[in-house]
């Protein structure tokens, strides 16, 4: 793991492969650190001839954590209803700028971007507002933020927002709650690997015992207004990968992205939930290879 220091924050990242190869920047989802882009996935991508970078968003992993922390959903809702973004809150445009600063630090002029969930929205912003830096986009299980689309299932949202038992003092209960949520949103046609999921959760806490500040990422999405000019302004090759049973962003979100982004390609995957299972790595990487500009 390596760090870069910007005037505002520290970003932790890890790279795979040779810097001489074309770069693929992996942009993570809401409240998750770089570990969700698993080492086998990164290695498989590097073996195909790419320089792969995964990183921790601010408020996750080993990157800078905002202070004061936001731990009360009520405080979050009050801030969103107020409608004025003030510290400690930020938007997805700020997370997009973090990605640009990481590329600048590494002297990478252009990169392919893969964004999952919230990271897919960040990727759209980059593809639209920083065209000169983006070779292609892969947008996985994400959304344009179009408010007319079906929303996250209420039970899933409640489960996602509910406070978790402490990992430090009630590890078994914490793991059980996390695994229940992960399985709830996962694909149904591939085996759920509970042990692998436990290892990823434990790896996160071994890297940094502080829990990721998920509510600040929820706020970042909330403070990012829907803007159809973002999708309309993307000119690079785009692959949209979405599942037919995604309970967080129902499949209409993938269809909407495909319709809104000029010349994009859609890969609608049967029985895929809000996850990127190892059994689908080859499917995604093959499609990515075929979609490069």
């Amino acid at each position: 793991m390596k760090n870069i220091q910007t005037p505002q924050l520290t970003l932790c990242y890890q790279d795979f492969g040779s810097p001489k190869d074309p770069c693929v920047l992996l942009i993570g989802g809401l409240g998750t650190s770089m570990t969700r882009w698993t080492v086998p996935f990164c290695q498989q991508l590097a073996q195909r001839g790419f320089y792969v970078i995964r990183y921790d968003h601010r408020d996750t992993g080993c990157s800078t954590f905002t202070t004061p922390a936001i731990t009360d959903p009520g405080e979050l809702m009050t801030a969103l209803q107020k409608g004025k973004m003030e510290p400690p809150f930020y938007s997805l445009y700020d997370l997009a700028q973090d990605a640009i600063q990481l590329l600048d630090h590494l002297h990478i002029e252009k990169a392919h971007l893969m964004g999952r969930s919230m990271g897919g929205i960040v990727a759209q912003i980059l593809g639209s507002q920083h065209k000169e830096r983006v070779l292609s986009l892969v947008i996985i299980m994400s959304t344009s933020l179009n408010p007319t689309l079906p929303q996250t299932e209420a039970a899933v949202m409640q489960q996602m927002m509910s406070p978790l038992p402490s990992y430090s003092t009630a590890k078994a209960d914490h793991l059980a709650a996390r695994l229940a949520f992960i399985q709830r949103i996962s694909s149904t046609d591939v085996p759920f690997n509970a042990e692998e999921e436990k290892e990823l959760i434990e790896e996160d806490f071994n890297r940094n015992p502080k829990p990721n500040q998920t509510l600040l990422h929820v706020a970042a999405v909330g403070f990012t207004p829907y803007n159809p000019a973002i999708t309309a302004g993307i000119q690079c090759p785009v692959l949209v990968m979405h599942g037919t049973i995604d309970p967080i962003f129902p499949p209409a979100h993938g269809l909407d992205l495909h319709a809104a982004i000029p010349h994009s390609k859609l890969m609608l995957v049967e029985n895929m939930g809000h996850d990127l299972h190892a059994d689908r790595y080859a499917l995604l990487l093959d499609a990515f290879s075929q979609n490069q500009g």
Side-chain angles (χ1 to χ4, degrees):
M1 304 292 177
K2 307 172 186 177
N3 292 322
I4 71 160
Q5 184 66 52
T6 78
Q8 294 79 29
L9 72 162
T10 298
L11 291 176
C12 180
Y13 73 97
Q14 185 178 22
D15 55 356
F16 302 80
S18 171
K20 296 179 181 179
D21 290 330
C23 177
V24 179
L25 181 66
L26 304 176
I27 308 174
L30 186 149
T32 62
S33 66
M34 68 168 80
T35 57
R36 285 287 143 185
W37 297 105
T38 65
V39 169
F41 178 81
C42 296
Q43 291 173 334
Q44 289 179 37
L45 188 48
Q47 288 165 3
R48 290 178 180 239
F50 295 96
Y51 177 49
V52 181
I53 300 170
R54 63 176 189 171
Y55 71 102
D56 293 326
H57 286 296
R58 62 172 83 178
D59 290 311
T60 73
C62 295
S63 291
T64 294
F65 275 57
T66 303
T67 55
I70 303 298
T71 58
D72 179 9
E75 183 179 359
L76 166 64
M77 294 309 299
T78 298
L80 290 173
Q81 290 168 0
K82 188 177 178 182
K84 184 178 181 181
M85 190 178 71
E86 299 174 328
F89 298 106
Y90 47 85
S91 76
L92 298 185
Y93 290 91
D94 296 301
L95 295 186
Q97 192 58 41
D98 292 348
I100 290 295
Q101 290 181 329
L102 176 58
L103 292 176
D104 286 347
H105 176 84
L106 296 173
H107 306 291
I108 296 171
E109 294 185 4
K110 297 176 181 287
H112 300 280
L113 307 182
M114 287 192 185
R116 57 194 294 160
S117 196
M118 180 191 77
I121 312 172
V122 174
Q124 292 168 54
I125 293 170
L126 291 166
S128 184
Q129 297 197 338
H130 297 273
K131 296 179 178 65
E132 73 285 357
R133 307 297 296 271
V134 180
L135 294 169
S136 73
L137 297 179
V138 178
I139 303 171
I140 308 164
M141 55 190 179
S142 191
T143 179
S144 68
L145 295 175
N146 185 339
T148 67
L149 297 172
Q151 298 302 299
T152 304
E153 295 177 15
V156 172
M157 179 61 74
Q158 182 179 7
Q159 194 174 6
M160 182 169 65
M161 297 287 285
S162 296
L164 288 168
S166 168
Y167 181 88
S168 300
T169 60
K171 180 177 177 179
D173 292 338
H174 178 94
L175 290 173
R178 288 282 300 277
L179 289 173
F181 177 70
I182 295 169
Q183 186 164 21
R184 171 65 182 81
I185 65 175
S186 293
S187 301
T188 57
D189 64 333
V190 288
F192 180 73
N193 191 331
E195 288 305 312
E196 181 181 69
E197 295 293 344
K198 283 182 184 178
E199 289 175 3
L200 289 174
I201 295 168
E202 290 173 347
E203 180 183 357
D204 281 343
F205 278 88
N206 288 334
R207 294 177 66 222
N208 184 354
K210 293 194 299 185
N212 293 336
Q213 293 197 33
T214 301
L215 292 183
L216 279 168
H217 283 185
V218 174
V221 175
F223 281 118
T224 304
Y226 168 58
N227 181 3
I230 293 296
T231 48
I234 298 172
Q235 298 175 353
C236 64
V238 178
L239 173 67
V240 177
M241 181 182 189
H242 214 97
T244 61
I245 61 166
D246 190 325
I248 292 183
F249 296 128
H253 290 255
L255 296 171
D256 171 77
L257 282 169
H258 175 49
I261 299 174
H263 312 298
S264 62
K265 295 180 181 179
L266 175 66
M267 182 164 61
L268 198 61
V269 183
E270 289 293 328
N271 300 308
M272 175 177 160
H274 199 77
D275 63 341
L276 181 57
H277 193 278
D279 286 3
R280 304 202 203 277
Y281 289 174
L283 175 69
L284 171 58
L285 296 179
D286 286 346
F288 166 62
S289 297
Q290 295 166 11
N291 195 54
Q292 293 167 41

